Amino acid sequence: MAETPATNQPDFTNGFPIRDLRDGSMISGRAHGEEVVLARRGDGLFAIDAHCTHYGGPLAEGLIVGDTVRCPWHHACFSLRNGEALRAPALDPVPCWRVERLGDMIFVREKITSPTPKNRTEGPSSVVIVGGGAAGLAAADMLRREGYDGPLTIVSAETFPPVDRPNLSNDYLAGTA
């Protein structure tokens, strides 16, 4: 198994022994110059970005539940199959790579394109969301991802668009805002 010299992490493009990845486990490594998590669930092999899109949590330290991974920091949930963000606080998907098994080795190949938004589903002619915080933003985002393309109105005392305020305060307290 070849490792990248700077990180001492396995380079999955050069192959990784399947015996070193037991069912229900994940391992961090690299593929095509990017940090990747390789996961195994039964016969399924998956490669996704190593960091949660919500706040950068290390997904390899998370929990595999079915064909999903849960971020250890704020419990965002992502599909191992297509990277889709399935639960807040993450709103954006994680990138995925095609995985190939050849004999006793696993190879991470090219990046897979993101899932396309769903077609419009039956629903109300308009939606009003009360509250312009992180929950209101997550609700509006999920409606759009589920295919709702009608008017959305967010009612809030704020004069600016919805934001994830905990991230802003955490950055401020850390001196990185």
Side-chain angles (χ1 to χ4, degrees):
M1 160 181 60
E3 294 182 348
T4 55
T7 63
N8 292 329
Q9 290 184 319
D11 183 344
F12 299 137
T13 59
N14 294 327
F16 186 80
I18 195 161
R19 70 177 180 275
D20 292 345
L21 187 66
R22 70 181 199 287
D23 184 18
S25 69
M26 298 178 281
I27 185 168
S28 293
R30 299 192 68 77
H32 309 286
E34 297 186 53
E35 289 184 73
V36 173
V37 172
L38 186 61
R40 181 177 181 185
R41 190 69 176 135
D43 291 334
L45 299 167
F46 310 96
I48 63 170
D49 193 85
H51 300 282
C52 176
T53 57
H54 170 246
Y55 211 59
L59 293 178
E61 295 175 19
L63 180 66
I64 292 180
V65 178
D67 63 352
T68 68
V69 62
R70 311 282 168 91
C71 178
W73 287 1
H74 303 110
H75 310 287
C77 179
F78 299 93
S79 167
L80 287 169
R81 297 189 182 284
N82 62 18
E84 182 180 3
L86 300 172
R87 290 189 185 86
L91 302 177
D92 298 317
V94 291
C96 294
W97 286 260
R98 185 173 67 85
V99 178
E100 183 177 27
R101 180 177 178 181
L102 296 173
D104 293 336
M105 298 294 284
I106 305 166
F107 295 87
V108 174
R109 304 299 191 195
E110 72 278 357
K111 195 179 276 191
I112 299 171
T113 57
S114 297
T116 57
K118 296 178 181 175
N119 293 331
R120 181 180 170 117
T121 58
E122 291 296 318
S125 58
S126 65
V127 173
V128 175
I129 297 171
V130 179
L137 176 61
D141 183 75
M142 184 58 77
L143 282 166
R144 292 296 187 220
R145 284 193 284 141
E146 288 296 319
Y148 178 74
D149 63 356
L152 279 174
T153 303
I154 297 178
V155 179
S156 174
E158 306 293 340
T159 58
F160 45 83
V163 295
D164 191 352
R165 287 179 187 85
N167 284 350
L168 292 177
S169 59
N170 289 341
D171 285 344
Y172 179 79
L173 293 173
T176 58

